[in-house]
Amino acid sequence: MMLRFSSAGYAVLFCLLCSLLWGLPRTSNAQDAPPKREMRGVWIATVENIDWPSSRSLTPDQQRREYRRMLDIQKRNGINAVFVQIRPAADAFYQSDLEPWSKWLTGQQGKGPNPPYDPLPFLIDEAHARGMEFHAWFNPYRATMDSVTRRLAPNHPYRQHPEWFFRYGGQLLFNPGLPEVRQYITQVILDVVERYDIDGVHFDDYFYPYPEAGRVIHDEQAFQQYNPGNLKLADWRRQNVNLLVEGLHNSIRKTKRWVKFGISPFGVWMNQSEHAEGSATKAFQGYSGLYADAREWMKQGWVDYILPQLYWSSNFKAAPYPTLVEWWSRNHYGRHLYIGQGTYRMLESTKADTTWRNPRELPRQVRVNRSYPTEVAGSVFFSSRSVMANPLHTSDSLRQNLFRYPALIPTMPWMDAVPPMPAQNLVLTRAGSVVTLNWQPGSVAKDGDLARYFVVYRFAEGETPSPDDPRHILALVPKMANQASVLVDTSARAGTEYAYYVTAVDRLHNESTPIRVTTLGRQAEVIVAQAPEPEVPPTRVPTAPMAPRTSSPIPPRPSVHRPETTTTKTKIKTKKRRRGGFFQRIFG
């Protein structure tokens, strides 16, 4: 027999149940809490040594020290993801049998590091150790930054297949109209997906080249040979890009189902004056200028996130930042929408957009993003060096205010909606004001995933336990291989009672139900406060709604300080999770 409630009755019952389930009085709320789930990323550009390494002449030890320092600073800034350029121009910042070592890594293209090492595992591991996602950034079509071919390494693809390229604007570029080019680029990227533990594959805005006056793209032969549908030239070029995007998306998903694929297109798709569905802007257009139909990629579900580069201020008349955020919020078709923001603009002395001289501009843009809580899922800043420079004290503003509390990465239910199993065998020890928690990971979830890290929440007497308020996140603790997890809370106050909740999170940031223990000596228990674990949805769901924004970077495991006071540890038995019945009807 089903119980019937009015809407008001459901609200009262929900609040009562939450209070009972979390086990403490309901005296506060999370209404004004910052988002618990939010992408907070930086691009780390390697081309021309923009961000890392700062010089082509650094030794491997110097490169590693510089990268660690960069990540440490960005972690303090609240960053939870890095987008690292590992293939800037048909070259490699990793050991590759397909393309040469990058000259921006070693000073000479084709020359490996000395002493030898593969930088990519190091780059990935250091990011993961700080709780950051690692997105491998590829430039798909650029082959050189100049037209001088004599300095190209013997294994550069131009040496093997010069017919694959055309010259434009003083550069060599792969011809997107050739099927063999699309196959080769896919092969290069899948080689990285297969061999390295990356979290995402990322493209920037360079597809067909930015047009230059008086220059022509010489792809006439490919247009005649590979155009069975007799498309117009512009439509044919867009189709070439679409074929690469669609094919690569499908190949990545077949290779590793958890690796995300995202693109950072030019910030304006089309102006409204030229397309009824365009934005109220008067700017260059990615759709017609670069043959990049970002709207189509999202509509078809070929990308997992879109990251438009909105490097204009709120007052820039041709392309105002708020106008474009609003347009993209209506046109992302259920895929994640992150906004690319130009922190480097605050280091310029341009007179074209003086609003960037206002220290409030970048924080204002972050708040604009957050004014679309279910549509805009975060920010990514270009580039890392400009954020580290703390222009106009903007990084201070992020660290001390907007990014003060941790944020988990938003989930992607079309990729994985199955949470990991809860932690188990939770042990609490208290010695004066110091509380030590020990626990072990749960078993394998039904989709084969294990916990990647754990979230520890702490609530004092009189505070409302809530899983949605990041201000109560004490720490995010990486799972340690073959070890129990440990957290030592040295900020607890003597004489104050606390409830601690521990959740497990998988690599796609699905969060388990919490396991709870209190300093009052209550038995630890799994809290059944959510619907049963959903079935894995189909892989391609272009119109799937975005997951609620409730997530953050995963800081490294807090240092374990063990108090000298001797205490007795009590192992807490974990109750088995129950299903069905009253809770399932209410929360399911």
Side-chain angles (χ1 to χ4, degrees), residues 65-85:
R65 285 198 299 270
E66 186 174 75
Y67 184 75
R68 289 191 185 105
R69 176 178 176 272
M70 178 181 295
L71 292 194
D72 287 341
I73 292 173
Q74 298 298 6
K75 179 191 166 188
R76 290 195 294 272
N77 289 335
I79 297 302
N80 60 14
V82 290
F83 297 74
V84 182
Q85 191 175 32

PDB file of all heavy atoms in Angstrom, residues 65-85:
ATOM      1  N   ARG A  65      60.896  19.350 -10.890  1.00  0.00           N
ATOM      2  CA  ARG A  65      60.726  20.295  -9.778  1.00  0.00           C
ATOM      3  C   ARG A  65      59.795  21.430 -10.172  1.00  0.00           C
ATOM      4  O   ARG A  65      58.937  21.849  -9.382  1.00  0.00           O
ATOM      5  CB  ARG A  65      62.091  20.854  -9.340  1.00  0.00           C
ATOM      6  CG  ARG A  65      62.926  19.888  -8.539  1.00  0.00           C
ATOM      7  CD  ARG A  65      64.030  20.617  -7.781  1.00  0.00           C
ATOM      8  NE  ARG A  65      64.942  21.299  -8.676  1.00  0.00           N
ATOM      9  CZ  ARG A  65      66.050  20.745  -9.180  1.00  0.00           C
ATOM     10  NH1 ARG A  65      66.355  19.483  -8.890  1.00  0.00           N
ATOM     11  NH2 ARG A  65      66.853  21.436  -9.979  1.00  0.00           N
ATOM     12  N   GLU A  66      59.940  21.942 -11.392  1.00  0.00           N
ATOM     13  CA  GLU A  66      59.113  23.048 -11.852  1.00  0.00           C
ATOM     14  C   GLU A  66      57.641  22.629 -11.947  1.00  0.00           C
ATOM     15  O   GLU A  66      56.740  23.388 -11.555  1.00  0.00           O
ATOM     16  CB  GLU A  66      59.618  23.523 -13.211  1.00  0.00           C
ATOM     17  CG  GLU A  66      58.937  24.772 -13.734  1.00  0.00           C
ATOM     18  CD  GLU A  66      59.586  25.255 -15.015  1.00  0.00           C
ATOM     19  OE1 GLU A  66      59.369  24.634 -16.067  1.00  0.00           O
ATOM     20  OE2 GLU A  66      60.327  26.268 -14.963  1.00  0.00           O
ATOM     21  N   TYR A  67      57.398  21.424 -12.442  1.00  0.00           N
ATOM     22  CA  TYR A  67      56.019  20.944 -12.573  1.00  0.00           C
ATOM     23  C   TYR A  67      55.381  20.735 -11.198  1.00  0.00           C
ATOM     24  O   TYR A  67      54.217  21.101 -10.980  1.00  0.00           O
ATOM     25  CB  TYR A  67      56.017  19.653 -13.380  1.00  0.00           C
ATOM     26  CG  TYR A  67      54.643  19.084 -13.669  1.00  0.00           C
ATOM     27  CD1 TYR A  67      53.810  19.664 -14.624  1.00  0.00           C
ATOM     28  CD2 TYR A  67      54.194  17.949 -13.005  1.00  0.00           C
ATOM     29  CE1 TYR A  67      52.561  19.125 -14.902  1.00  0.00           C
ATOM     30  CE2 TYR A  67      52.947  17.402 -13.279  1.00  0.00           C
ATOM     31  CZ  TYR A  67      52.136  17.996 -14.225  1.00  0.00           C
ATOM     32  OH  TYR A  67      50.898  17.453 -14.496  1.00  0.00           O
ATOM     33  N   ARG A  68      56.124  20.128 -10.282  1.00  0.00           N
ATOM     34  CA  ARG A  68      55.586  19.930  -8.934  1.00  0.00           C
ATOM     35  C   ARG A  68      55.231  21.259  -8.282  1.00  0.00           C
ATOM     36  O   ARG A  68      54.180  21.388  -7.635  1.00  0.00           O
ATOM     37  CB  ARG A  68      56.599  19.182  -8.066  1.00  0.00           C
ATOM     38  CG  ARG A  68      56.786  17.718  -8.418  1.00  0.00           C
ATOM     39  CD  ARG A  68      57.601  17.015  -7.341  1.00  0.00           C
ATOM     40  NE  ARG A  68      57.911  15.641  -7.696  1.00  0.00           N
ATOM     41  CZ  ARG A  68      59.105  15.218  -8.109  1.00  0.00           C
ATOM     42  NH1 ARG A  68      60.108  16.095  -8.220  1.00  0.00           N
ATOM     43  NH2 ARG A  68      59.303  13.945  -8.408  1.00  0.00           N
ATOM     44  N   ARG A  69      56.104  22.222  -8.424  1.00  0.00           N
ATOM     45  CA  ARG A  69      55.828  23.528  -7.832  1.00  0.00           C
ATOM     46  C   ARG A  69      54.575  24.146  -8.440  1.00  0.00           C
ATOM     47  O   ARG A  69      53.739  24.718  -7.734  1.00  0.00           O
ATOM     48  CB  ARG A  69      57.026  24.470  -8.034  1.00  0.00           C
ATOM     49  CG  ARG A  69      56.786  25.896  -7.523  1.00  0.00           C
ATOM     50  CD  ARG A  69      58.020  26.760  -7.714  1.00  0.00           C
ATOM     51  NE  ARG A  69      57.741  28.132  -7.316  1.00  0.00           N
ATOM     52  CZ  ARG A  69      57.251  29.061  -8.120  1.00  0.00           C
ATOM     53  NH1 ARG A  69      56.985  28.763  -9.401  1.00  0.00           N
ATOM     54  NH2 ARG A  69      57.022  30.288  -7.682  1.00  0.00           N
ATOM     55  N   MET A  70      54.413  24.009  -9.757  1.00  0.00           N
ATOM     56  CA  MET A  70      53.233  24.545 -10.431  1.00  0.00           C
ATOM     57  C   MET A  70      51.964  23.901  -9.885  1.00  0.00           C
ATOM     58  O   MET A  70      50.987  24.602  -9.561  1.00  0.00           O
ATOM     59  CB  MET A  70      53.351  24.321 -11.939  1.00  0.00           C
ATOM     60  CG  MET A  70      52.147  24.797 -12.740  1.00  0.00           C
ATOM     61  SD  MET A  70      52.339  24.479 -14.520  1.00  0.00           S
ATOM     62  CE  MET A  70      53.725  25.537 -14.897  1.00  0.00           C
ATOM     63  N   LEU A  71      51.974  22.581  -9.745  1.00  0.00           N
ATOM     64  CA  LEU A  71      50.782  21.905  -9.243  1.00  0.00           C
ATOM     65  C   LEU A  71      50.510  22.253  -7.788  1.00  0.00           C
ATOM     66  O   LEU A  71      49.342  22.384  -7.388  1.00  0.00           O
ATOM     67  CB  LEU A  71      50.927  20.393  -9.400  1.00  0.00           C
ATOM     68  CG  LEU A  71      50.941  19.838 -10.820  1.00  0.00           C
ATOM     69  CD1 LEU A  71      50.732  18.321 -10.783  1.00  0.00           C
ATOM     70  CD2 LEU A  71      49.885  20.473 -11.714  1.00  0.00           C
ATOM     71  N   ASP A  72      51.543  22.406  -6.997  1.00  0.00           N
ATOM     72  CA  ASP A  72      51.337  22.784  -5.597  1.00  0.00           C
ATOM     73  C   ASP A  72      50.648  24.141  -5.494  1.00  0.00           C
ATOM     74  O   ASP A  72      49.729  24.334  -4.690  1.00  0.00           O
ATOM     75  CB  ASP A  72      52.670  22.822  -4.852  1.00  0.00           C
ATOM     76  CG  ASP A  72      53.232  21.434  -4.573  1.00  0.00           C
ATOM     77  OD1 ASP A  72      52.449  20.466  -4.632  1.00  0.00           O
ATOM     78  OD2 ASP A  72      54.452  21.330  -4.324  1.00  0.00           O
ATOM     79  N   ILE A  73      51.096  25.093  -6.304  1.00  0.00           N
ATOM     80  CA  ILE A  73      50.481  26.421  -6.291  1.00  0.00           C
ATOM     81  C   ILE A  73      49.038  26.338  -6.776  1.00  0.00           C
ATOM     82  O   ILE A  73      48.122  26.936  -6.187  1.00  0.00           O
ATOM     83  CB  ILE A  73      51.300  27.391  -7.161  1.00  0.00           C
ATOM     84  CG1 ILE A  73      52.663  27.654  -6.520  1.00  0.00           C
ATOM     85  CG2 ILE A  73      50.545  28.707  -7.366  1.00  0.00           C
ATOM     86  CD1 ILE A  73      53.594  28.473  -7.386  1.00  0.00           C
ATOM     87  N   GLN A  74      48.805  25.582  -7.844  1.00  0.00           N
ATOM     88  CA  GLN A  74      47.443  25.491  -8.371  1.00  0.00           C
ATOM     89  C   GLN A  74      46.516  24.754  -7.411  1.00  0.00           C
ATOM     90  O   GLN A  74      45.323  25.081  -7.324  1.00  0.00           O
ATOM     91  CB  GLN A  74      47.451  24.795  -9.739  1.00  0.00           C
ATOM     92  CG  GLN A  74      48.240  25.528 -10.810  1.00  0.00           C
ATOM     93  CD  GLN A  74      47.702  26.918 -11.127  1.00  0.00           C
ATOM     94  OE1 GLN A  74      46.796  27.418 -10.483  1.00  0.00           O
ATOM     95  NE2 GLN A  74      48.276  27.552 -12.134  1.00  0.00           N
ATOM     96  N   LYS A  75      47.044  23.798  -6.691  1.00  0.00           N
ATOM     97  CA  LYS A  75      46.217  23.137  -5.688  1.00  0.00           C
ATOM     98  C   LYS A  75      45.776  24.137  -4.619  1.00  0.00           C
ATOM     99  O   LYS A  75      44.611  24.143  -4.186  1.00  0.00           O
ATOM    100  CB  LYS A  75      46.979  21.983  -5.056  1.00  0.00           C
ATOM    101  CG  LYS A  75      46.181  21.258  -3.981  1.00  0.00           C
ATOM    102  CD  LYS A  75      47.069  20.300  -3.209  1.00  0.00           C
ATOM    103  CE  LYS A  75      46.360  19.866  -1.938  1.00  0.00           C
ATOM    104  NZ  LYS A  75      47.262  19.098  -1.062  1.00  0.00           N
ATOM    105  N   ARG A  76      46.695  24.995  -4.188  1.00  0.00           N
ATOM    106  CA  ARG A  76      46.326  26.024  -3.201  1.00  0.00           C
ATOM    107  C   ARG A  76      45.305  26.992  -3.777  1.00  0.00           C
ATOM    108  O   ARG A  76      44.499  27.573  -3.038  1.00  0.00           O
ATOM    109  CB  ARG A  76      47.571  26.773  -2.722  1.00  0.00           C
ATOM    110  CG  ARG A  76      48.502  25.923  -1.854  1.00  0.00           C
ATOM    111  CD  ARG A  76      49.503  26.774  -1.115  1.00  0.00           C
ATOM    112  NE  ARG A  76      50.446  27.437  -1.991  1.00  0.00           N
ATOM    113  CZ  ARG A  76      51.598  26.915  -2.397  1.00  0.00           C
ATOM    114  NH1 ARG A  76      51.947  25.689  -1.995  1.00  0.00           N
ATOM    115  NH2 ARG A  76      52.417  27.579  -3.191  1.00  0.00           N
ATOM    116  N   ASN A  77      45.330  27.163  -5.091  1.00  0.00           N
ATOM    117  CA  ASN A  77      44.350  28.042  -5.741  1.00  0.00           C
ATOM    118  C   ASN A  77      42.984  27.380  -5.892  1.00  0.00           C
ATOM    119  O   ASN A  77      42.043  28.012  -6.372  1.00  0.00           O
ATOM    120  CB  ASN A  77      44.848  28.464  -7.131  1.00  0.00           C
ATOM    121  CG  ASN A  77      46.004  29.438  -7.057  1.00  0.00           C
ATOM    122  OD1 ASN A  77      46.163  30.163  -6.063  1.00  0.00           O
ATOM    123  ND2 ASN A  77      46.829  29.473  -8.094  1.00  0.00           N
ATOM    124  N   GLY A  78      42.877  26.102  -5.526  1.00  0.00           N
ATOM    125  CA  GLY A  78      41.596  25.404  -5.624  1.00  0.00           C
ATOM    126  C   GLY A  78      41.403  24.639  -6.907  1.00  0.00           C
ATOM    127  O   GLY A  78      40.304  24.136  -7.172  1.00  0.00           O
ATOM    128  N   ILE A  79      42.437  24.514  -7.728  1.00  0.00           N
ATOM    129  CA  ILE A  79      42.330  23.852  -9.024  1.00  0.00           C
ATOM    130  C   ILE A  79      42.183  22.344  -8.823  1.00  0.00           C
ATOM    131  O   ILE A  79      42.885  21.742  -8.011  1.00  0.00           O
ATOM    132  CB  ILE A  79      43.567  24.169  -9.888  1.00  0.00           C
ATOM    133  CG1 ILE A  79      43.630  25.677 -10.187  1.00  0.00           C
ATOM    134  CG2 ILE A  79      43.559  23.360 -11.179  1.00  0.00           C
ATOM    135  CD1 ILE A  79      42.409  26.235 -10.889  1.00  0.00           C
ATOM    136  N   ASN A  80      41.278  21.725  -9.591  1.00  0.00           N
ATOM    137  CA  ASN A  80      41.081  20.280  -9.484  1.00  0.00           C
ATOM    138  C   ASN A  80      41.259  19.529 -10.799  1.00  0.00           C
ATOM    139  O   ASN A  80      40.943  18.340 -10.879  1.00  0.00           O
ATOM    140  CB  ASN A  80      39.715  19.958  -8.864  1.00  0.00           C
ATOM    141  CG  ASN A  80      38.554  20.496  -9.674  1.00  0.00           C
ATOM    142  OD1 ASN A  80      38.709  20.899 -10.822  1.00  0.00           O
ATOM    143  ND2 ASN A  80      37.372  20.499  -9.081  1.00  0.00           N
ATOM    144  N   ALA A  81      41.761  20.204 -11.837  1.00  0.00           N
ATOM    145  CA  ALA A  81      42.009  19.524 -13.114  1.00  0.00           C
ATOM    146  C   ALA A  81      43.049  20.308 -13.899  1.00  0.00           C
ATOM    147  O   ALA A  81      43.063  21.545 -13.868  1.00  0.00           O
ATOM    148  CB  ALA A  81      40.724  19.394 -13.933  1.00  0.00           C
ATOM    149  N   VAL A  82      43.914  19.581 -14.600  1.00  0.00           N
ATOM    150  CA  VAL A  82      44.900  20.222 -15.470  1.00  0.00           C
ATOM    151  C   VAL A  82      44.728  19.686 -16.888  1.00  0.00           C
ATOM    152  O   VAL A  82      44.459  18.497 -17.091  1.00  0.00           O
ATOM    153  CB  VAL A  82      46.345  20.003 -14.979  1.00  0.00           C
ATOM    154  CG1 VAL A  82      46.607  20.781 -13.702  1.00  0.00           C
ATOM    155  CG2 VAL A  82      46.653  18.524 -14.762  1.00  0.00           C
ATOM    156  N   PHE A  83      44.881  20.579 -17.850  1.00  0.00           N
ATOM    157  CA  PHE A  83      44.773  20.253 -19.274  1.00  0.00           C
ATOM    158  C   PHE A  83      46.162  20.502 -19.870  1.00  0.00           C
ATOM    159  O   PHE A  83      46.518  21.638 -20.191  1.00  0.00           O
ATOM    160  CB  PHE A  83      43.714  21.125 -19.935  1.00  0.00           C
ATOM    161  CG  PHE A  83      42.323  20.906 -19.392  1.00  0.00           C
ATOM    162  CD1 PHE A  83      41.957  21.382 -18.139  1.00  0.00           C
ATOM    163  CD2 PHE A  83      41.371  20.206 -20.122  1.00  0.00           C
ATOM    164  CE1 PHE A  83      40.684  21.180 -17.624  1.00  0.00           C
ATOM    165  CE2 PHE A  83      40.098  19.989 -19.612  1.00  0.00           C
ATOM    166  CZ  PHE A  83      39.753  20.475 -18.357  1.00  0.00           C
ATOM    167  N   VAL A  84      46.946  19.434 -19.975  1.00  0.00           N
ATOM    168  CA  VAL A  84      48.365  19.556 -20.298  1.00  0.00           C
ATOM    169  C   VAL A  84      48.594  19.231 -21.761  1.00  0.00           C
ATOM    170  O   VAL A  84      48.216  18.164 -22.248  1.00  0.00           O
ATOM    171  CB  VAL A  84      49.214  18.634 -19.395  1.00  0.00           C
ATOM    172  CG1 VAL A  84      50.696  18.809 -19.707  1.00  0.00           C
ATOM    173  CG2 VAL A  84      48.942  18.924 -17.919  1.00  0.00           C
ATOM    174  N   GLN A  85      49.258  20.141 -22.460  1.00  0.00           N
ATOM    175  CA  GLN A  85      49.505  19.998 -23.895  1.00  0.00           C
ATOM    176  C   GLN A  85      50.648  19.010 -24.112  1.00  0.00           C
ATOM    177  O   GLN A  85      51.810  19.325 -23.875  1.00  0.00           O
ATOM    178  CB  GLN A  85      49.845  21.361 -24.488  1.00  0.00           C
ATOM    179  CG  GLN A  85      49.872  21.407 -25.998  1.00  0.00           C
ATOM    180  CD  GLN A  85      50.101  22.823 -26.510  1.00  0.00           C
ATOM    181  OE1 GLN A  85      50.781  23.626 -25.874  1.00  0.00           O
ATOM    182  NE2 GLN A  85      49.536  23.138 -27.664  1.00  0.00           N
TER     183      GLN A  85
END
